[in-house]
């Protein structure tokens, strides 16, 4: 009897420990990501075509505390968008408005201007479902589509607004491997890509299995990136992404060059840091006026990924390979990090 009680106690202890591990998983990033995507959708009044809230655009930045190019982007946002407080979140809020000094035009980025795309462009009217037949490969199909013109989302139903949001991971290795990030991919991003493709006129008569193959191709390309990554969203649809950022000396511990090392004066280094941010915003603007199908299937979208704009300007654009070495004594600053006095002096110039 004592042995039985001991065994039951051990089983109970093991189960409790397992529950504790599950409970420790933080799903904040998953919930935030889903909300940020949904917040950009057009809201209608009941079953009518009356628009209650116009759709909008968003950029979701995903970086990591141990990644040099992520910290470089965050430092650039602080330097040029919050020069007094050096607060990254405040800088992102300021980036969600027009910024003439950085050439960032909300109106253009939000689709108010054509930027080479016709006014007839529509966004995501299809409802999709993933079918999983027995002994056959799963495939995506369109379950219904609103043909009624009142539900077709065109530019007149989108407001001139772009909201920047951020997910900061502890390590870049968690980008597509942690439980919340995997769930973001499986529950949100994959369906989002399927919806985008099945809403496209180019796939109106396409075989579902062919479309599914394209979904898988796009998903693989996206999840193959190391980050930092900037996902662009319009009316609940992922239109594309930009990945990587210029390396700054302060956040580079590897052998690769960084822009602050290559120039002799503070003013020149600061100008190059500013140009790197301007270059990124230009690529993001083009992504917001694109679609993910062209971006990854046909390379029709002029992005840093398909057309290396950043690399054409700099030789130190980093796509996530530069992480801090945990075994070294010098470790990355925790977020929010404290910049060195020398770096702060650079900001004041």
């Amino acid at each position: 009897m004592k042995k039985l009680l001991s065994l039951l106690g051990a089983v109970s202890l093991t189960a409790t420990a397992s529950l504790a591990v599950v409970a420790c998983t933080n799903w904040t990033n998953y919930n935030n990501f889903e909300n940020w995507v949904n917040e950009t959708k057009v809201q209608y009044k009941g079953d009518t075509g009356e628009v209650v809230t116009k759709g909008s655009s968003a950029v979701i930045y995903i970086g990591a505390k141990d990644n040099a190019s992520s910290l470089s982007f965050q430092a650039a946002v602080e330097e040029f968008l919050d020069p007094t407080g050096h607060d990254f979140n405040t800088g992102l809020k300021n980036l969600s408005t027009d910024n003439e000094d950085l050439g960032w035009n909300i109106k253009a980025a939000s689709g108010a201007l054509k930027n080479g795309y016709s006014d007839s462009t529509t966004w995501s009217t299809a409802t999709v479902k993933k079918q999983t037949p027995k002994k056959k490969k799963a495939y995506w199909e369109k379950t219904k589509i609103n043909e009624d013109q009142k539900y077709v989302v065109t530019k007149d139903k989108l407001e001139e607004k772009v909201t920047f949001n951020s997910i900061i991971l502890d390590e870049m290795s968690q980008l597509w491997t942690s439980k919340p990030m995997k769930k973001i991919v499986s529950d949100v991003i994959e369906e989002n890509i399927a919806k985008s493709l099945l809403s496209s006129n180019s796939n109106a008569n396409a075989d579902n299995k062919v479309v599914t193959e394209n979904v898988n191709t796009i998903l693989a390309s996206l999840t193959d990136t190391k980050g930092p990554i900037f996902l662009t969203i319009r009316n609940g649809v992922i239109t594309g992404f930009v990945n990587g950022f210029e390396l700054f000396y302060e956040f580079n511990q590897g052998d690769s060059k960084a822009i602050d090392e290559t120039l002799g004066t503070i003013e020149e280094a600061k100008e190059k840091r500013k140009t790197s941010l301007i270059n990124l915003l230009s690529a993001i603007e083009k992504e917001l006026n694109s679609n993910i199908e062209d971006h990854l299937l046909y390379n029709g979208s002029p992005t840093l990924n398909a057309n290396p704009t950043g690399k054409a300007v700099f030789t130190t654009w980093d796509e996530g390979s530069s992480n801090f070495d945990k075994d070294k004594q010098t470790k990355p600053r925790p977020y929010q990090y404290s910049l060195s006095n020398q770096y702060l002096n650079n900001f004041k110039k």
Side-chain angles (χ1 to χ4, degrees), residues 176-195:
W176 307 117
T177 60
S178 68
K179 287 183 179 180
M181 292 305 299
K182 281 184 175 180
K183 193 169 177 62
I184 284 174
V185 172
S186 63
D187 288 10
V188 184
I189 293 180
E190 184 179 359
E191 182 178 346
N192 192 291
I193 295 171
K195 178 182 284 191

Side-chain angles (χ1 to χ4, degrees), residues 334-346:
Y335 180 80
Q336 303 274 351
Y337 45 80
S338 299
L339 296 170
S340 67
N341 289 331
Q342 181 181 356
Y343 214 59
L344 286 175
N345 289 333
N346 291 349

Side-chain angles (χ1 to χ4, degrees), residues 120 126 223 233 241 271 285 290 327-328 341:
S120 62
T223 55
I233 316 290
F241 68 89
E271 192 60 30
E285 180 181 311
S290 180
D327 295 329
K328 291 183 179 179
N341 289 331

Side-chain angles (χ1 to χ4, degrees), residues 1-27:
M1 185 67 181
K2 287 183 179 180
K3 288 184 178 180
L4 179 60
L5 290 174
S6 299
L7 180 60
L8 290 173
V11 171
S12 176
L13 183 61
T14 303
T16 303
S18 299
L19 288 173
V21 170
V22 173
C24 286
T25 302
N26 190 333
W27 294 101

Side-chain angles (χ1 to χ4, degrees), residues 247-306:
L247 285 176
F248 294 175
Y249 175 78
E250 184 76 3
F251 305 106
N252 179 40
Q253 295 185 13
D255 296 329
S256 59
K257 292 181 179 179
I259 58 173
D260 288 4
E261 291 178 306
T262 59
L263 294 169
T265 68
I266 290 174
E267 289 76 14
E268 287 176 312
K270 180 175 180 179
E271 192 60 30
K272 290 212 75 174
R273 291 196 299 272
K274 180 178 178 180
T275 304
S276 67
L277 185 57
I278 291 172
N279 197 54
L280 173 71
L281 292 174
S282 175
I284 286 175
E285 180 181 311
K286 291 171 184 175
E287 281 300 273
L288 282 167
N289 288 285
S290 180
N291 66 72
I292 200 164
E293 183 177 14
D294 282 345
H295 178 138
L296 291 172
L297 291 180
Y298 309 117
N299 290 337
S301 179
T303 68
L304 291 177
N305 190 279

Side-chain angles (χ1 to χ4, degrees), residues 59-78:
V59 179
I60 301 177
Y61 157 70
I62 308 175
K65 299 175 187 177
D66 72 336
N67 180 254
S69 45
S70 296
L71 293 178
S72 297
F73 166 70
Q74 291 164 210
V77 169
E78 293 180 4

